[in-house]
Amino acid sequence: MTTGADSPPERASLAAWGGRLRDLRRPLRDFAVHALAQVRLYDDAYAGVMHALIFWGVTIQILGTAMNLMQMQLFIPFVELPFPRGTAYLAYELVMDLAGIAILLGVGLAAFRRGVLRPNGLETGAGDAYALILLALLPLVGFLTEGLRILAAAPAWAAWSPVGSAVARGLRFLAVTPAQASTVHFPFVLLHVLLGLFFIASIPFSKLRHLVLGPLHILLRERRKEGTLSFVDDIETAELLGVGRVEEFTRAQLLAFDACVHCGRCERNCPAALSGMAFSPCHFIHDLRQQTQTSLLGENGLKQALLPESLGETALWACTTCGACLMGCPIFVNPVDEVVDLRRYQVLTTGRVPAPVSAALRNLERQGNPWGMPAAARAPWTEEMGVRVLEPGEETDVLLWLGCAASFDERNQQVAQAFVRLLQEAGTDFAILGPAEACCGEAARRLGHEYLFQVFAGQNIELLHEVQFNRIVTQCPHCFNTLKNEYPQLGGNWVVQHYADYLYEQRVQLPLPADGAARPRVTYHDPCYLGRYNGSYSAPRALVDQATERVEMERHGRNSFCCGGGGGQMWLESAADERINQNRLDQALAVSAESVVTACPYCLLMFDDAIRSRGVGEQIEVIDIAEMMVRQLDAAPV
């Protein structure tokens, strides 16, 4: 028998505490990396240095002031703290001066950035001027107070306060006597204290609130895998479907609205905003914050509807859910969550959606795919190529998930055939689900039809449990992200790979070009749901580099520019001068590439459409990695 600390209840208690500590590790790590080190700010070096100077200057000044107050026996009566003394005090004086200089430098950089540089998306108003003036006044008054003290007392350590000493010399030059300095020193001390108290008191009512709310949001934000949307439990009986009123947002979302400092980084990365569409993630979050305040303070209380009157009919449907806004935000505000929540409300509660959205959802409901094709027409080419269909109870190494694009779209069928040929050439044991495979539900979910997504996911999970395989491989990043990151919400857990990662892992080596053969100049386009959301950047490039000369577009990798097809945009129309795919094509043309290589069926179609509409087919083409690799096989010397 075990007793004491070895007893099962004690072990269970220790395990529970261990679980809680593990749950705290990521928030604390995020706080250290993103609230203290602020690594995301350095994506823009100028803004990062500017913010670091202000942040660390203010932080050191606050800590130093607190340390100074502790010497006055205000907090520990009748006890005078022994620190700092001697050499430590000299260091204290120097560091406090340097912190004040840092604040002034940072404020100067900020004023120059807002007044002269004026980057896109960064709006400057009275609140910004107020914050900068107040931040500048604090060290300026502090330095003047220090200069008066040094002039009046002439301490031996004056050289360790270089700015204070310089101010004292300046006052002496202006004929201020030590006696006069001693007289006015205390009023300036009071002024400095009052400015500090005013600074603290104004935090909740100004943009300075992000000093508290930003780190708080980093700590308390909901942590899901990037690219994974929130899940509606018991959707059959759920009373709340999406968000229609302020109180229906989560606490973390409401905190995010207040934490946003309107810096414009999301807007400078948003493909919809950069393409001139009527959507800005920055303004969107700002509008939600204003609506929250209006609802809380208005006569109707929390019952004021947010949609569609408050935010506009079209704003929600321009977002491609590409995640560029989230990746650019220093404090992890994620407008995509709010966009989808509000779409859910319109789709599932009011039914007021744009006609193309309604048509796409109707195709999904009636035919089981957004193309609106009958299930019997699914991937007819697989039989011609001898692809095995996996029956219930059967087993394979690789289960090839074709997805709707490879099954119903003629252009993407060619891509899928190229990948199947690569698998066959490599002797891979693979199979497909055949007509039984349904849409993964990704388009339905991003368009706001959570119920339809859960229906599709439930059917597919049940089907996948009836067969045996080692991994699922798919060519579509949207299917990949859904199967890998979102099906676990419903109990579907498998090893899922994008085909580029699978080919790279298998070390698929293609024949080298013939001696003297020119390597085509290509540029690789990062699909958002493969790169930004799932971190796959090197594997596709390694495959492309086997037989091409690759050049990078200005926006690539984590900073890639969306093709414009995600978030349901594949099924919507936009004005000719607002098309995201045209902007992305311009970026490819700018590097003089012969081909754009991608690894996503949506990206392929969006580039194809842009090339055809611009009539530049003789100048540039778009191909999938699988097609490029098959070309390499066919061109290899015999």
Side-chain angles (χ1 to χ4, degrees), residues 31 35 210-221 223 255 259:
F31 184 82
H210 81 282
L211 294 171
V212 176
L213 298 180
L216 195 61
H217 183 258
I218 290 172
L219 270 176
L220 301 181
R221 68 188 175 92
R223 282 170 172 80
L255 175 61

Side-chain angles (χ1 to χ4, degrees), residues 187-217:
F188 272 93
V189 170
L190 289 179
L191 176 61
H192 195 211
V193 170
L194 289 173
L195 278 173
L197 293 174
F198 192 72
F199 175 85
I200 295 170
S202 65
I203 285 176
F205 308 103
S206 68
K207 294 187 76 170
L208 294 169
R209 64 183 176 274
H210 81 282
L211 294 171
V212 176
L213 298 180
L216 195 61
H217 183 258

Side-chain angles (χ1 to χ4, degrees), residues 229-544:
L229 298 178
S230 62
F231 183 73
V232 180
D233 289 317
D234 300 320
I235 194 167
E236 296 275 3
T237 59
E239 295 182 4
L240 180 61
L241 296 171
V243 170
R245 295 189 296 270
V246 166
E247 81 271 21
E248 294 165 357
F249 284 116
T250 66
R251 293 177 182 177
Q253 287 174 308
L254 293 172
L255 175 61
F257 303 160
D258 254 353
C260 174
V261 74
H262 212 211
C263 68
R265 286 185 181 228
C266 55
E267 185 173 323
R268 291 193 290 277
N269 286 297
C270 175
L274 292 172
S275 299
M277 301 180 77
F279 178 74
S280 159
C282 186
H283 291 154
F284 174 66
I285 293 296
H286 184 69
D287 288 346
L288 287 174
R289 179 175 179 270
Q290 288 195 319
Q291 288 296 328
T292 302
Q293 291 179 331
T294 301
S295 296
L296 289 171
L297 300 175
E299 294 180 1
N300 296 328
L302 293 173
K303 301 302 181 184
Q304 179 175 342
L306 288 172
L307 287 175
E309 297 86 359
S310 302
L311 299 173
E313 292 280 356
T314 61
L316 298 179
W317 304 102
C319 176
T320 68
T321 69
C322 69
C325 52
L326 171 62
M327 296 300 171
C329 180
I331 58 172
F332 296 90
V333 175
N334 185 6
V336 173
D337 280 350
E338 285 72 54
V339 164
V340 173
D341 279 341
L342 294 169
R343 285 182 180 182
R344 286 173 178 172
Y345 176 76
Q346 282 197 285
V347 170
L348 299 173
T349 304
T350 71
R352 290 181 292 186
V353 298
V357 174
S358 180
L361 293 175
R362 187 165 54 248
N363 285 337
L364 282 161
E365 290 173 343
R366 295 179 179 177
Q367 301 293 353
N369 65 85
W371 267 266
M373 302 287 287
R378 194 175 191 90
W381 54 269
T382 55
E383 186 174 350
E384 300 171 8
M385 295 191 70
V387 179
R388 179 164 70 101
V389 175
L390 199 62
E391 301 294 340
E394 293 184 345
E395 183 178 354
T396 187
D397 177 28
V398 172
L399 176 62
L400 175 57
W401 184 276
L402 291 176
C404 297
S407 297
F408 301 109
D409 176 68
E410 183 177 350
R411 179 67 183 88
N412 277 292
Q413 287 178 357
Q414 299 171 21
V415 175
Q417 290 171 37
F419 180 51
V420 165
R421 182 178 164 190
L422 291 173
L423 293 176
Q424 291 173 336
E425 292 273 353
T428 305
D429 176 22
F430 74 100
I432 62 173
L433 293 174
E437 178 188 300
C439 177
C440 70
E442 190 268 352
R445 192 173 216 197
R446 265 66 192 172
L447 286 171
H449 206 318
E450 177 70 12
Y451 176 79
L452 196 55
F453 161 75
Q454 293 196 23
V455 168
F456 283 138
Q459 292 173 354
N460 285 323
I461 289 171
E462 184 178 349
L463 178 64
L464 289 166
H465 281 149
E466 294 176 355
V467 295
Q468 299 180 41
F469 51 87
N470 293 324
R471 70 186 79 196
I472 298 173
V473 176
T474 182
Q475 289 182 274
C476 177
H478 298 265
C479 294
F480 165 62
N481 181 73
T482 301
L483 294 169
K484 178 185 177 185
N485 298 323
E486 298 191 319
Y487 272 31
Q489 294 176 332
L490 291 101
N493 292 279
W494 303 281
V495 175
V496 185
Q497 288 183 290
H498 185 263
Y499 85 99
D501 292 312
Y502 172 75
L503 291 175
Y504 179 73
E505 180 189 278
Q506 299 299 311
R507 295 297 188 267
V508 174
Q509 295 293 325
L510 298 175
L512 294 175
D515 292 340
R519 289 175 173 252
R521 182 182 173 90
V522 307
T523 187
Y524 173 68
H525 165 77
D526 290 279
C528 301
Y529 276 76
L530 179 62
R532 206 158 17 235
Y533 281 138
N534 287 284
S536 179
Y537 300 112
S538 58
R541 285 173 169 78
L543 298 174
V544 170

